[in-house]
Amino acid sequence: MSLIEVVGLQKNYGERAILRNINISIDKGEVFALIGPTGAGKTTLLRLIDLLDWPTSGKIYFDGIDVTQSGKARTEARRKMAFVFQKPMVFNATVYDNIAYGLKWRGQNRGDIRQKVNNILELVGLSTYKNRNARTLSGGEAQRVAIARALVIEPEVLLLDEPTANLDPISTARTEDLISRIIRQYDTTIAMATHDMSQGQ
């Protein structure tokens, strides 16, 4: 059984149909790439899968449960997913606190938070930046903070919306390498939107 199944999905904004009759199936542990030009509806689809928006029609199943109907099922599914937006969003706080935010919100104890955050900081190559204000980072560094913040909560599904779209070539290469390491080291299901065919392979 698929972890995520989208059936007959449609999303309209007013009279305009952004998505029509979308059917996809994503298995647990799969890396799924949504490839298409800007304006094709990739971000809209990721937002629907993450249950940030409601479809106009159609169904989304998470682990076999229709999460478009039940508020409780929707909340439970959202807790198992993490979304990294195209433009990285960071809080006016240290890199450490930015990454720890989701763990604190979930009520984890301080010792576990410290260990998990330090491990993720090492993975994303930002250990020496942990006490810096995240607002002072470059675009590529901020994107790695956003990925770390998503990954530290150990989501079943990681949704990446054009993770290198606004980055310079060096930052793009670092981010692509980080995503490759996440794929190798974690059993996380990944759905990534990109307009770059080479990234989707």
Side-chain angles (χ1 to χ4, degrees):
M1 181 174 65
S2 301
L3 180 62
I4 297 170
E5 190 173 4
V6 172
V7 180
L9 202 67
Q10 177 148 334
K11 179 64 177 178
N12 298 346
Y13 288 113
E15 301 273 315
R16 187 171 165 230
I18 306 298
L19 298 171
R20 280 195 192 101
N21 195 31
I22 303 296
N23 297 281
I24 60 173
S25 181
I26 305 174
D27 291 335
K28 184 173 174 58
E30 182 179 354
V31 179
F32 187 90
L34 296 163
I35 303 171
T38 301
K42 302 184 301 296
T43 299
T44 299
L45 181 54
L46 287 182
R47 288 181 63 87
L48 289 167
I49 290 172
D50 195 45
L51 307 172
L52 291 170
D53 296 330
W54 292 101
T56 303
S57 60
K59 303 284 187 184
I60 301 170
Y61 296 91
F62 190 96
D63 218 6
I65 297 169
D66 179 1
V67 292
T68 53
Q69 294 298 315
S70 164
K72 182 181 178 185
R74 180 177 180 271
T75 302
E76 288 176 0
R78 286 220 68 223
R79 286 182 180 147
K80 297 175 183 178
M81 295 188 278
F83 196 126
V84 178
F85 295 91
Q86 183 179 136
K87 292 182 181 176
M89 295 171 22
V90 292
F91 306 123
N92 186 23
T94 65
V95 168
Y96 180 96
D97 286 338
N98 264 267
I99 296 169
Y101 177 79
L103 297 173
K104 290 176 181 175
W105 187 72
R106 284 165 170 76
Q108 296 207 12
N109 71 63
R110 193 172 295 177
D112 286 346
I113 291 172
R114 188 182 307 114
Q115 182 178 1
K116 287 180 179 180
V117 172
N118 285 335
N119 288 344
I120 290 292
L121 279 165
E122 190 171 330
L123 174 72
V124 301
L126 291 173
S127 293
T128 58
Y129 291 71
K130 72 178 182 179
N131 294 319
R132 271 184 59 178
N133 188 304
R135 293 270 175 91
T136 68
L137 300 177
S138 70
E141 290 160 351
Q143 186 66 291
R144 283 186 279 155
V145 169
I147 292 171
R149 188 173 58 220
L151 200 60
V152 78
I153 62 169
E154 300 172 359
E156 284 187 45
V157 178
L158 179 62
L159 303 164
L160 302 170
D161 184 17
E162 301 259 14
T164 62
N166 302 302
L167 305 183
D168 61 74
I170 292 172
S171 296
T172 293
R174 284 181 178 157
T175 303
E176 287 176 343
D177 178 64
L178 172 58
I179 294 167
S180 295
R181 278 184 283 141
I182 292 168
I183 291 167
R184 289 195 302 270
Q185 294 180 33
Y186 293 81
D187 189 30
T188 308
T189 304
I190 296 175
M192 181 175 74
T194 180
H195 62 267
D196 187 339
M197 287 287 287
S198 64
Q199 268 185 1
Q201 293 175 346

